Amino acid sequence: MKKTKRPIVLTGFVLTAVLLGIWGGIMVNHKEDKALLLDETAIHLTPEEGYDGFEGWGTSLVWWTNILGQWSDTERLDEVLDLIFDREQGLGLNIVRYNIGGGEDPGIVNNTLRPGGDIPGFQPSENSWDWEADAGQRKVLLGALARGVNIAEAFSNSPPYWMTVSGSVTGAADGGNNLKEEYYDAFADYLTEVVKEYKERYGVTFRTLNPLNEPASGWWRKGNIQEGSHFSLDKQMEILQKVASSLKSKGLTATGVSAPDENSVDETLEMLEGYDADTIESISQINTHTYNGSSLAEVRDFAKENGKHLWMSEFGTGGSGPHDHQDMSSVMELAERIIFDLRMLQPAAWVYWQAIEDEGANNNWGFIHSDFSGGESYEITKQYYAMANFSRFILPGSRILPTDDGRSVAAYLEEKQQLTVVVRNEQAEKELIYDLTPFEFEVSTAKVYRTTAAGNLKEGEAELRRNGVKLTVPQQSITTLVISGIQLKK
């Protein structure tokens, strides 16, 4: 016999309970029931104190591309470029700094430049040009652009050797000014002509051009292992104005001038405060390295007050340990520097020195190591994954958010409704509570990625409560928290 289903009749009380999400005293909406106790140890995110306009992460192309760009194994080169520039497969770096080489005197018998450091110049003599030069770096530049790099800057370490006082791109004999007085116009023309050629021949528009690199430093002496050139304050002003004028005269209006790229933020501030009004007017972007100094807030404020773009254009670290691809000291130094710079300097871009370093240098700089003296192989270092903790998740277009904890920084990307928090911990394992009350969300879990001595970007989850999240951070680690589907409260 066919059975018929009897209708279920809900009484008023039961129906009310169902509609309210209550059964037997248990709340269905877990976020109403599972608030965190936000005591004085809770870490607060302060969106109103953040800054917009973060453009992304980058690397200089000098040296490593001069070697790898000439590899015969193109598939292996593609692997490396994917690891550096592809957002899905690699670090997702979207900014490159292309080095316009000076080109060393080929007549120097004992060339002192380090492996990869002998960057070919485009003007080997005063009246000749070689546009086929620097094929390795150019190949990597074009490969990077094809993988999503959307901002390129050109910079110089030294004028061509024949423009210099010492006759060498490594610096003056006494560490002083090395560009001959009669060649300031020629040097400006050289740099801007390269910018023009790359735009016309390859469709590459360099957004900025910097004729300087750590120009106040006194270590650029003849016989150095890399290109370098000292410029005193007055000579910096002269070449910056001439480069700006040369760009304008050639109709290269899409390219601005950046400066001064000093080694220390204190030196950067000193140079900026010493520039006259015409020089300040000639530059569109302030570049600084952050190897040394404490004037991050002052450089930040100078840029804001003068309406200039601001980049952290170079930093690299090798830590304090012996050569070891799994070194954690360089990992922790990298994380400390990035977090401090984003919190205090507030740059629009953060650029590492060389993504790939020479294995033969026997140090822990760089994200990937390769033997620059021979062979076409590479090894990924622990520092690669440390960089990924930042570059894969703090995306271009994000608003950088400070926290009241000096070991963490946050970023919010409105278009993706994504909140990212990165925290470093060199101390004992601990639990941290982050206050999320400035945000609203319906999701119940967040993704967590941890880099430690034992793991690389190890993925996990963290349970979200209605007002915050509790996050475990191991000793000697970088931890990245990613919450999707989250919005700032209006």
Side-chain angles (χ1 to χ4, degrees):
M1 185 177 75
K2 183 179 179 180
K3 296 181 179 179
T4 58
K5 295 182 179 179
R6 299 179 60 187
I8 298 174
V9 180
L10 299 178
T11 65
F13 174 79
V14 174
L15 178 61
T16 301
V18 171
L19 292 175
L20 291 176
I22 304 173
W23 193 275
I26 299 176
M27 296 292 294
V28 172
N29 186 343
H30 71 281
K31 286 193 288 188
E32 292 300 321
D33 185 50
K34 295 183 179 180
L36 289 170
L37 176 62
L38 300 177
D39 59 18
E40 67 277 1
T41 65
I43 299 170
H44 304 93
L45 279 62
T46 51
E48 68 280 1
E49 297 178 11
Y51 72 95
D52 293 315
F54 185 70
E55 297 180 313
W57 310 89
T59 182
S60 294
L61 301 183
V62 62
W63 301 351
W64 69 272
T65 61
N66 189 27
I67 300 295
L68 274 68
Q70 299 182 66
W71 279 5
S72 60
D73 189 341
T74 56
E75 290 186 4
R76 183 63 58 87
L77 175 60
D78 284 340
E79 288 177 11
V80 174
L81 298 187
D82 287 342
L83 285 168
I84 299 299
F85 300 112
D86 188 277
R87 184 161 298 284
E88 299 302 320
Q89 303 178 62
L91 296 176
L93 303 188
N94 67 299
I95 297 170
V96 291
R97 302 187 71 223
Y98 176 85
N99 177 231
I100 301 177
E104 183 59 295
D105 180 0
I108 295 179
V109 177
N110 296 316
N111 187 320
T112 59
L113 292 166
R114 56 174 288 167
D118 197 353
I119 305 295
F122 295 99
Q123 200 172 10
S125 62
E126 187 162 5
N127 299 310
S128 66
W129 292 84
D130 178 8
W131 293 116
E132 302 307 314
D134 201 21
Q137 186 179 192
R138 181 166 55 253
K139 185 175 185 178
V140 172
L141 169 66
L142 297 177
L145 293 168
R147 286 166 172 79
V149 165
N150 60 350
I151 302 174
E153 175 175 68
F155 75 102
S156 169
N157 285 327
S158 171
Y161 77 91
W162 52 267
M163 294 186 190
T164 67
V165 175
S166 69
S168 172
V169 296
T170 57
D174 62 357
N177 295 328
N178 200 32
L179 177 58
K180 291 180 180 178
E181 291 290 338
E182 64 269 27
Y183 281 123
Y184 276 76
D185 285 317
F187 183 40
D189 178 70
Y190 171 70
L191 296 176
T192 57
E193 200 62 21
V194 174
V195 170
K196 182 170 179 274
E197 181 72 14
Y198 268 58
K199 180 179 181 181
E200 294 176 351
R201 182 178 293 202
Y202 304 107
V204 176
T205 297
F206 293 111
R207 200 177 72 178
T208 44
L209 168 63
N210 192 339
L212 308 170
N213 179 63
E214 300 183 351
S217 299
W219 50 62
W220 305 123
R221 296 174 181 270
K222 187 175 182 179
N224 191 13
I225 65 170
Q226 65 189 75
E227 287 191 357
S229 184
H230 176 86
F231 284 85
S232 57
L233 177 62
D234 59 326
K235 293 305 179 183
Q236 288 187 40
M237 292 192 290
E238 183 175 351
I239 193 59
L240 289 171
Q241 292 185 47
K242 286 185 181 295
V243 168
S245 178
S246 183
L247 287 170
K248 184 177 180 180
S249 70
K250 295 179 182 182
L252 299 169
T253 55
T255 302
V257 177
S258 56
D261 265 297
E262 294 291 2
N263 176 273
S264 157
V265 287
D266 296 345
E267 290 173 331
T268 294
L269 182 64
E270 181 183 355
M271 295 304 110
L272 293 172
E273 291 180 338
Y275 289 167
D276 60 25
D278 289 339
T279 304
I280 294 296
E281 180 66 24
S282 72
I283 65 176
S284 60
Q285 178 172 295
I286 294 171
N287 283 7
T288 187
H289 305 176
T290 53
Y291 291 107
N292 295 290
S294 60
S295 304
L296 288 88
E298 291 82 355
V299 170
R300 176 197 69 207
D301 292 344
F302 187 98
K304 288 181 179 179
E305 291 165 5
N306 288 274
K308 305 299 180 184
H309 216 57
L310 176 61
W311 274 15
M312 197 306 293
S313 53
E314 182 183 320
F315 177 80
T317 181
S320 56
H323 183 211
D324 178 3
H325 294 162
Q326 301 305 309
D327 174 66
M328 284 297 294
S329 65
S330 59
V331 163
M332 301 313 297
E333 284 185 8
L334 177 68
E336 179 181 20
R337 185 75 261 172
I338 292 175
I339 291 171
F340 194 62
D341 286 349
L342 294 185
R343 291 170 59 88
M344 297 301 298
L345 185 65
Q346 298 185 357
W350 200 94
V351 182
Y352 194 83
W353 171 224
Q354 287 207 114
I356 302 177
E357 284 282 359
D358 183 10
E359 176 73 6
N362 291 316
N363 60 41
N364 295 320
W365 286 62
F367 308 141
I368 295 173
H369 284 186
S370 179
D371 187 353
F372 288 6
S373 297
E376 297 185 358
S377 61
Y378 64 89
E379 295 285 343
I380 298 175
T381 73
K382 181 70 74 170
Q383 209 176 147
Y384 176 91
Y385 299 100
M387 188 69 218
N389 274 93
F390 293 91
S391 63
R392 280 192 185 177
F393 308 109
I394 298 181
L395 303 177
S398 294
R399 178 176 177 82
I400 305 300
L401 312 180
T403 73
D404 53 10
D405 166 48
R407 289 183 170 84
S408 61
V409 69
Y412 180 67
L413 184 58
E414 184 174 13
E415 67 181 58
K416 291 183 65 114
Q417 296 186 355
Q418 176 177 304
L419 175 67
T420 301
V421 179
V422 186
V423 55
R424 66 179 175 90
N425 180 37
E426 70 279 13
Q427 301 170 341
E429 179 173 301
K430 64 180 74 172
E431 281 195 335
L432 303 175
I433 293 177
Y434 282 89
D435 176 5
L436 298 179
T437 54
F439 299 88
E440 55 187 9
F441 50 93
E442 294 299 324
V443 294
S444 59
T445 58
K447 292 288 187 182
V448 178
Y449 304 86
R450 295 183 177 90
T451 295
T452 64
N456 302 319
L457 283 181
K458 187 174 181 180
E459 186 174 339
E461 287 187 345
E463 182 183 6
L464 297 177
R465 306 296 180 91
R466 66 178 174 84
N467 62 340
V469 60
K470 185 180 293 185
L471 187 64
T472 300
V473 289
Q475 184 179 20
Q476 291 286 305
S477 68
I478 305 174
T479 301
T480 301
L481 174 79
V482 181
I483 307 174
S484 299
I486 186 169
Q487 298 180 27
L488 275 168
K489 291 178 180 177
K490 303 298 184 183

